[in-house]
Amino acid sequence: MHIIRLLDHDETKARIAELADVLVDCVMGGASVGFMAPYGRADALPFWEGVAKGVADGSVLLFVAELDGVIVGTVQVGMQQMPNQGHRADVKKLLVKEAARGRGIARQLMERAEQKAAQCGKSVLVLDTATGSPAETVYRKLGWEWVGVIPDYALYPDGSFCGTTLFYKRVGPVATAT
C-alpha cells in the first residue's frame, strides 16, 4: 500500500537520501528532468538540498509517495511567482521509481498537488514534460490542457535532444486583479 503526503522542511532534510535515490532512478532510466548521465546519489544531493530550502521558506510544496515506508515518488509545486503571477504555480519534477510504476502513484501525486495548490489560492498550474514521454499520457488523462511543443528544448541524460510539451490546468476560480 502506498501513501501520498506533503513533507515539511525537517522531514525533507531527514529523507534527502531517499529523495536522491528516486531522482537517480529516473535520470538513469532516461528521464529528461534536467540532469545528465552518469548520475549518482552524490550528484542528486545538492538538488534536494535546494528543494529543502524552498520547502523551508514556503516557495515549494514537496509531495512524496511512500511504499512500505520508503519514498518511491515525488512531485513539487513551485508556489513563488512574480507579483503579476501570484495566482499560478509551477508543477515540477513528477518522479516515480521504475519499480513502483503502474500503481497510480503519479496520478495520486498530481491530484494531491493540484488540490493543495488550489487550497493555497492558486487557480492555474503549468508544467512541461519531455515530448513523447509516458507523462504526457498521465497529464492528458488528468485533464491537463495541451499548449504546444518546443522542439530541441532540452537533452535526455544520454545527450540526445528532446522536445518539451507544455500543459496547463485550471484548479480554482480565476482571481480578479485588484
Side-chain angles (χ1 to χ4, degrees):
M1 181 169 146
H2 58 271
I3 298 169
I4 309 294
R5 60 193 190 86
L6 182 63
L7 293 189
D8 65 16
H9 175 256
D10 291 339
E11 193 166 10
T12 300
K13 292 286 288 179
R15 300 188 74 184
I16 279 184
E18 286 178 79
L19 293 164
D21 290 345
V22 173
L23 182 55
V24 168
D25 182 82
C26 292
V27 171
M28 293 309 294
S32 176
V33 291
F35 306 99
M36 304 301 290
Y39 194 78
R41 185 187 273 182
D43 301 308
L45 292 174
F47 170 77
W48 288 109
E49 290 286 344
V51 172
K53 288 178 185 173
V55 170
D57 69 22
S59 64
V60 175
L61 301 177
L62 175 60
F63 296 87
V64 297
E66 296 170 316
L67 185 61
D68 299 323
V70 177
I71 296 174
V72 296
T74 182
V75 70
Q76 301 167 49
V77 180
M79 300 294 285
Q80 188 172 19
Q81 302 297 332
M82 297 301 291
N84 69 338
Q85 300 169 29
H87 62 286
R88 77 168 185 86
D90 297 319
V91 174
K92 306 183 275 188
K93 303 281 187 278
L94 175 62
L95 306 167
V96 178
K97 280 187 167 183
E98 188 173 352
R101 294 178 188 161
R103 302 174 192 216
I105 291 172
R107 176 184 52 78
Q108 291 178 5
L109 281 165
M110 288 298 293
E111 288 172 351
R112 283 292 302 276
E114 292 168 16
Q115 291 166 359
K116 184 64 174 176
Q119 289 171 358
C120 291
K122 302 299 182 178
S123 59
V124 177
L125 301 180
V126 297
L127 63 81
D128 68 271
T129 192
T131 303
S133 69
E136 272 192 285
T137 302
V138 170
Y139 300 134
R140 288 178 192 262
K141 285 182 179 177
L142 292 174
W144 284 73
E145 297 290 331
W146 181 89
V147 175
V149 173
I150 303 171
D152 300 336
Y153 183 80
L155 300 175
Y156 285 109
D158 67 4
S160 60
F161 283 100
C162 71
T164 194
T165 302
L166 305 171
F167 287 92
Y168 77 94
K169 187 172 187 179
R170 291 197 184 276
V171 295
V174 178
T176 57
T178 55

